[in-house]
Amino acid sequence: MHKLTNKLENKLANELVNEQVSELAKAFSTIRDHTGTLAQPLSAEDCCVQSMPDASPAKWHLAHTTWFFETFILEQFETGFRPFHPAFRVLFNSYYEGVGEQHPRAQRGLMTRPSLVEVQAYRQNVDQRLLALLGQTMAPDQMLQLTALVELGLQHEQQHQELMLTDIKHLLSMNPLQPPYLAWDEMAETMKEAAAGAATATALQWQPFEAGIVEIGHAGNGFFFDNETPRHRQFVEPFSMASRLVSKGEYLAFVEAGGYQNPLLWLAAGWDWVQQQKLTRPLYWQAAHAQFDSAWREFTLHGLQPLALDEAVTHISFFEAEAYARWAGARLPTEAEWEYAAATQTTDYFGIAWQWTTSSYAPYPGYVVLPGAVGEYNGKFMVNQYVLRGSSSATPEGHARLSYRNFFPATARWQFSGIRLARS
Ligand SMILES: [Fe+2]
């Protein structure tokens, strides 16, 4: 009797695993295809160029995301593994010392070879092999390890989908022709930057929160990155959170009030940066020229547009966000305040712009780095960066969550990063 029950249980467990694996294979194809769709409006020339060391060519993103599956999965699980091209292991390694040598980041735009066509063939080849691997039968613990790595590879791919868009926007903005990535009516609804519009057109309200011990960090089922754990307690003093993000119109008032010329509003390092870079306005804004017309304009993914005053301001660095908050008589939230507020509110915390916090990107109490090269994914970047919360109009659907911790240095402003104010 027991034996029969065990057999039945095993059969059911196997069916469940098969179902999960086939779901994962479907997700794999959908997400990988979406990356291809994002690259479609670009020419081979668009895909090759690197506009600054922080940004990468689209061709590099297409290859590197493929490299991730080849290096961390096929190399380990595929019988008789042979690399698609032996040089790619170094060429498309971003920062994994555990894997070995890396091609210098700032020289990614000099790679006219491999061609875009070769990189597309690389993608196809690895996709086929990965799907074949998922179709194989293997020991349950091996299958568990494999599916966890595929899931990580897909989350990684989605992160690069957002980076591809921000990098393409930066590249096209440097072209005197100011070409659009896509015309407005060719864009998917979710990708339109102006999706942010309606939410910020409403009057800003202050939502009060009481002091107390709050829990932050990942909880429940579903994927999460190691940096979101462990869930832990933090104490917050009473605070209020803005009901919506700061709009471009509000930020324009700061610009026109001489915000970029007043050292009293800036952190010392921020003021040095503003002076050195001669900054007077956000990235992609084009100042009003009396001799042409009096309207401000901005470069967007759909080309040069009039500055949309009701939309959330984006492409703001930590330093700019911090200075604006000071000028507005407020401050930026901590990540504990943000997560606590976002958990209880239904207003626009996601899908518009990443929101800077004053929290340094540091390990949560009890954080443990994963073993092996995959352990380099998040942990080693926990210095000299600030945490951003929420998600943006460029974040792929299904990628955001309450406990998600994005992070960038205080001067980074080519991401869709904006401002939510808090006050004590
Ligand atoms: Fe990566």
Side-chain angles (χ1 to χ4, degrees):
M1 184 64 194
H2 263 108
K3 262 191 184 157
L4 187 65
T5 321
N6 280 346
K7 258 192 183 166
L8 259 175
E9 272 175 6
N10 280 343
K11 190 167 176 264
L12 283 174
N14 279 340
E15 275 172 18
L16 197 68
V17 168
N18 288 343
E19 207 176 292
Q20 283 167 347
V21 171
S22 87
E23 282 298 308
L24 186 64
K26 252 188 260 168
F28 178 82
S29 297
T30 308
I31 291 172
R32 293 281 287 168
D33 288 352
H34 184 61
T35 311
T37 306
L38 290 177
Q40 226 146 42
L42 303 172
S43 69
E45 292 89 340
D46 290 335
C47 287
C48 189
V49 179
Q50 179 171 28
S51 59
M52 62 169 168
D54 279 344
S56 297
K59 186 169 74 180
W60 185 88
H61 285 296
L62 292 169
H64 162 72
T65 47
T66 306
W67 169 94
F68 193 95
F69 287 106
E70 188 185 39
T71 308
F72 290 120
I73 299 176
L74 293 184
E75 206 174 297
Q76 186 188 342
F77 290 90
E78 196 182 52
T79 325
F81 169 84
R82 281 181 57 216
F84 177 83
H85 189 302
F88 286 9
R89 201 173 195 275
V90 173
L91 276 189
F92 300 119
N93 179 4
S94 51
Y95 54 66
Y96 295 88
E97 303 289 350
V99 172
E101 238 186 290
Q102 302 126 40
H103 183 71
R105 185 189 174 104
Q107 292 172 25
R108 287 173 186 168
L110 301 179
M111 270 192 263
T112 53
R113 314 287 174 88
S115 68
L116 181 60
V117 170
E118 281 174 272
V119 166
Q120 275 154 351
Y122 179 39
R123 284 184 75 82
Q124 262 185 13
N125 176 275
V126 168
D127 284 358
Q128 283 165 4
R129 288 155 68 193
L130 206 291
L131 286 172
L133 189 65
L134 281 175
Q136 285 175 15
T137 37
M138 54 182 84
D141 60 326
Q142 259 215 315
M143 187 49 97
L144 209 66
Q145 219 193 334
L146 169 65
T147 51
L149 281 169
V150 173
E151 178 73 14
L152 179 67
L154 292 178
Q155 298 283 334
H156 173 251
E157 181 106 11
Q158 288 185 313
Q159 290 184 313
H160 278 277
Q161 287 171 354
E162 177 152 7
L163 289 172
M164 252 174 87
L165 285 174
T166 54
D167 293 358
I168 288 163
K169 182 172 177 177
H170 189 259
L171 172 68
L172 295 177
S173 80
M174 306 208 120
N175 189 314
L177 300 177
Q178 303 277 280
Y181 161 69
L182 270 181
W184 176 253
D185 52 7
E186 292 169 325
M187 265 187 160
E189 274 314 307
T190 47
M191 259 177 58
K192 288 182 177 170
E193 290 174 42
T200 53
T202 57
L204 190 148
Q205 316 230 316
W206 290 100
Q207 296 168 333
F209 293 88
E210 284 173 18
I213 294 171
V214 302
E215 277 193 26
I216 66 162
H218 179 77
N221 298 318
F223 179 86
F224 56 92
F225 285 114
D226 56 353
N227 62 10
E228 298 164 48
T229 62
R231 189 168 170 86
H232 64 283
R233 290 164 298 176
Q234 287 204 12
F235 180 76
V236 296
E237 296 288 353
F239 69 100
S240 297
M241 196 74 125
S243 58
R244 59 162 176 78
L245 305 187
V246 170
S247 71
K248 288 172 185 168
E250 288 163 336
Y251 197 88
L252 178 60
F254 167 72
V255 173
E256 292 186 332
Y260 284 79
Q261 287 82 45
N262 183 356
L264 301 180
L265 295 172
W266 297 79
L267 291 167
W271 181 246
D272 288 348
W273 173 70
V274 163
Q275 297 284 97
Q276 194 201 2
Q277 302 285 318
K278 300 188 171 61
L279 300 181
T280 58
R281 55 183 180 267
L283 182 67
Y284 303 137
W285 284 26
Q286 298 188 10
H289 291 292
Q291 65 267 45
F292 301 126
D293 58 48
S294 59
W296 283 76
R297 290 170 299 172
E298 60 182 322
F299 183 75
T300 71
L301 281 170
H302 42 278
L304 195 61
Q305 301 291 331
L307 188 66
L309 299 178
D310 283 343
E311 288 176 18
V313 69
T314 50
H315 302 293
I316 293 295
S317 67
F318 173 83
F319 283 141
E320 289 167 300
E322 212 271 344
Y324 174 86
R326 190 164 314 182
W327 176 77
R331 61 174 174 80
L332 301 176
T334 66
E335 61 174 325
E337 288 170 338
W338 192 97
E339 191 168 325
Y340 175 44
T344 58
Q345 300 296 311
T346 53
T347 48
D348 57 359
Y349 277 75
F350 296 94
I352 298 170
W354 291 97
Q355 297 143 55
W356 287 106
T357 72
T358 48
S359 300
S360 289
Y361 180 49
Y364 283 167
Y367 169 72
V368 180
V369 176
L370 295 170
V374 189
E376 294 182 55
Y377 200 110
N378 282 311
K380 71 179 187 181
F381 299 108
M382 290 175 171
V383 66
N384 293 341
Q385 313 215 50
Y386 285 90
V387 172
L388 299 100
R389 293 303 202 100
S391 63
S392 83
S393 58
T395 310
E397 249 181 283
H399 187 69
R401 52 185 174 272
L402 187 62
S403 57
Y404 199 107
R405 303 175 82 199
N406 200 352
F407 51 89
F408 279 97
T411 55
R413 52 184 205 158
W414 90 110
Q415 296 301 302
F416 288 95
S417 45
I419 313 168
R420 180 184 298 278
L421 297 175
R423 59 187 191 192
S424 300

